Amino acid sequence: MSITFRIATAADEEGSPTAVITARQLAAFRTFLRREGERIGTVLLDPDADKGAFLCYRFEARVCPLALASIARLFDYATDVIAVVEEAQFRGRRASVFRDEATGTINLTVAPTSDAGLELDLASGNAIALLESLGLGTESVGDTAVGTIRQRLASPAVRRRASEQGMTDYIERLERLVASAATDESCRLEWA
């Protein structure tokens, strides 16, 4: 079992736009992401299934480094796709592709994952130890304001306790995650 730490905002509570795409558009999108990833020297698909394998219907794509117009062209400038990509870019998130088994549709929506993939996915024991070192208890599901986390990360006592428990690497990764959050009060650190 693992626990994932991520930044959540008020926009996460409102829901995200969703677009229905075709298998042909999906194939073109995956090809485009691979080509652009090679061009700019970064991985844009997560996970990237083997190129010879049947279409993968569940993955996340980095869309922030790409031009909205170049992505929209792949989908014939469909307004629902543009809304999804624009929202993902505005929020600094990835786009998520998944197949809805109930309806059989292929959907594109805003992912909960940050574009840079800064989320921490830790084994439960390590996650609980990290929470304890931050003074946040041992519940495997929870949230707290990003401001609170920033204060705790700045505390020498927290740093010392984390170092004693061998959590220094996790603290540094958590700092990078928290640094990606906006400074408004709606941002919070969630874990589950």
Side-chain angles (χ1 to χ4, degrees):
M1 298 268 299
S2 66
I3 296 174
T4 301
F5 295 84
R6 70 177 202 87
I7 300 297
T9 65
D12 295 326
E13 306 298 324
E14 298 167 7
S16 297
T18 300
V20 175
I21 62 174
T22 67
R24 178 167 278 141
Q25 290 171 328
L26 173 62
F29 187 43
R30 291 180 64 85
T31 300
F32 171 77
L33 291 168
R34 283 191 190 105
R35 187 177 61 243
E36 288 301 298
E38 289 173 9
R39 185 182 66 79
I40 63 176
T42 190
V43 176
L44 298 175
L45 283 168
D46 182 27
D48 188 7
D50 181 21
K51 293 178 185 177
F54 187 70
L55 281 178
C56 175
Y57 290 110
R58 184 164 296 279
F59 65 90
E60 291 184 352
R62 292 189 64 194
V63 294
C64 292
L66 305 171
L68 174 60
S70 64
I71 297 170
R73 183 180 62 227
L74 298 169
F75 298 95
D76 298 319
Y77 302 97
T79 56
D80 54 348
V81 171
I82 291 171
V84 169
V85 174
E86 187 176 51
E87 181 74 10
Q89 289 180 335
F90 177 74
R91 292 175 52 196
R93 300 280 178 94
R94 294 179 181 188
S96 176
V97 173
F98 64 95
R99 184 179 190 113
D100 184 337
E101 295 302 326
T103 62
T105 60
I106 304 167
N107 300 308
L108 178 70
T109 192
V110 179
T113 310
S114 65
D115 184 67
L118 297 173
E119 288 70 17
L120 274 82
D121 188 18
L122 303 177
S124 295
N126 290 337
I128 297 300
L130 178 61
L131 289 167
E132 285 179 332
S133 71
L134 293 168
L136 296 173
T138 60
E139 294 296 319
S140 61
V141 176
D143 69 350
T144 191
V146 167
T148 300
I149 298 299
R150 285 185 174 127
Q151 289 172 348
R152 303 240 172 128
L153 289 172
S155 167
V158 167
R159 294 285 190 174
R160 187 173 44 260
R161 192 167 44 241
S163 178
E164 290 167 358
Q165 295 176 343
M167 298 276 119
T168 303
D169 181 53
Y170 299 140
I171 290 289
E172 290 171 0
R173 290 176 56 199
L174 183 61
E175 277 184 316
R176 287 192 295 275
L177 175 62
V178 169
S180 72
T183 56
D184 66 21
E185 292 181 19
S186 73
C187 289
R188 60 192 187 285
L189 178 71
E190 288 184 342
W191 59 92

